[in-house]
């Protein structure tokens, strides 16, 4: 099980190494990452496999994802901004297929400048049309959906993103998963916003249209995106704060590994010789 407190402590120590900037996560420290069910409750269920666990942090982000879907599924869809991550909106068009007119609704994601500027991320995005009303995630709505105060919800989201930024700064690959909506997959400097098939079906009400979206590559499946290779063979998953092993894009030499590690240390303000000093 992920020990979030230990992860946070390690990052706080790293951030202090440069002597002038410190990253802290007071709200994440207070939130539990234990299973919702206790050991006794799990035993009562008599399950042969571990029961899925959902952390407090994940439940808050699940509510954020629910809010995003709600805004996009309105009769008059709105563009919804997750501050510090990006903006979702819909692109609609008509197509004449097999003697009938089909309406395509494609979800689009505009990456936040904050994220893009961390390491020059490349993401082909479609700006939000001027006629579409834009809203930001409503912390009061999220607060009403989870047993936490509005302040805790807002701080949890910001601290999760700060952790996310830290991982990106160190050139690591990530998947930021918005439950039942999609996955923001970052590999190197390439960014892919992939969407869940069920969510696309909710938007289009037609399996044919959804299949067409995938076939034409107008939308990427989240299942496909999460299988993307990683240079280091690992992907940091948010908001679960877990590391998932994936196949590498290519084998790295010792020199390349050291160079990447030294670059990561430098970005944290840490100085040192990764190769070590040889004795005479």
């Amino acid at each position: 099980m992920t020990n979030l407190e230990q992860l946070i402590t390690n990052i706080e120590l790293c951030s202090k190494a440069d002597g002038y900037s410190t990253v802290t996560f007071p709200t994440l420290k207070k939130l539990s990452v234990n299973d919702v069910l206790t050991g006794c409750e799990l035993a009562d269920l008599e399950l042969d496999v571990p029961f899925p666990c959902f952390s407090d942090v994940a439940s808050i982000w699940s509510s954020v994802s629910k809010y995003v879907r709600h805004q996009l599924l309105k009769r008059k869809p709105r563009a919804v901004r997750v501050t510090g991550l990006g903006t979702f909106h819909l692109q609609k068009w008509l197509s004449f297929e097999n003697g009938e007119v089909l309406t395509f609704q494609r979800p689009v994601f505009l990456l936040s400048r904050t994220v893009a500027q961390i390491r020059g991320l490349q993401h082909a995005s479609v700006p939000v049309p001027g006629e579409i009303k834009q809203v930001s995630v409503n912390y009061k709505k999220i607060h009403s959906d989870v047993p936490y105060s509005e302040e805790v919800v807002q701080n949890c989201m910001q601290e999760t993103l700060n952790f996310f930024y830290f991982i990106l700064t160190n050139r690591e690959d990530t998947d930021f998963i918005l439950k039942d909506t999609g996955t923001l997959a970052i590999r190197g400097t390439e960014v892919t916003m992939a969407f869940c098939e069920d969510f696309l079906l909710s938007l289009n009400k037609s399996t044919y249209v959804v299949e067409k979206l995938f076939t034409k590559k107008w939308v990427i499946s989240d299942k496909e995106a999460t299988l993307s290779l990683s240079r280091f063979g690992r992907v940091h998953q948010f908001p679960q704060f877990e590391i998932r092993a994936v196949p590498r894009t290519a084998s790295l030499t010792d020199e390349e590994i050291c160079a990447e590690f030294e670059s990561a240390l430098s970005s944290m303000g840490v100085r040192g010789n990764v190769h070590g000093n040889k004795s005479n």
Side-chain angles (χ1 to χ4, degrees), residues 233-247:
R234 63 177 178 266
V235 172
H236 293 259
Q237 289 186 303
F238 292 89
Q240 293 82 3
F241 294 91
E242 296 177 351
I243 299 177
R244 179 171 60 89
V246 298

Side-chain angles (χ1 to χ4, degrees), residues 175-196:
D175 284 341
F176 203 110
I177 302 169
L178 292 176
K179 187 175 181 291
D180 297 328
T181 299
T183 297
L184 177 63
I186 299 177
R187 305 290 186 270
T189 58
E190 296 184 1
V191 179
T192 301
M193 185 65 222
F195 293 92
C196 301

Side-chain angles (χ1 to χ4, degrees), residues 106-107 193-195 200 213-221:
R106 178 171 77 104
M193 185 65 222
F195 293 92
L200 295 174
L213 289 170
F214 286 143
T215 301
K216 294 292 186 179
K217 297 296 182 181
W218 291 329
V219 172
I220 304 298
S221 165

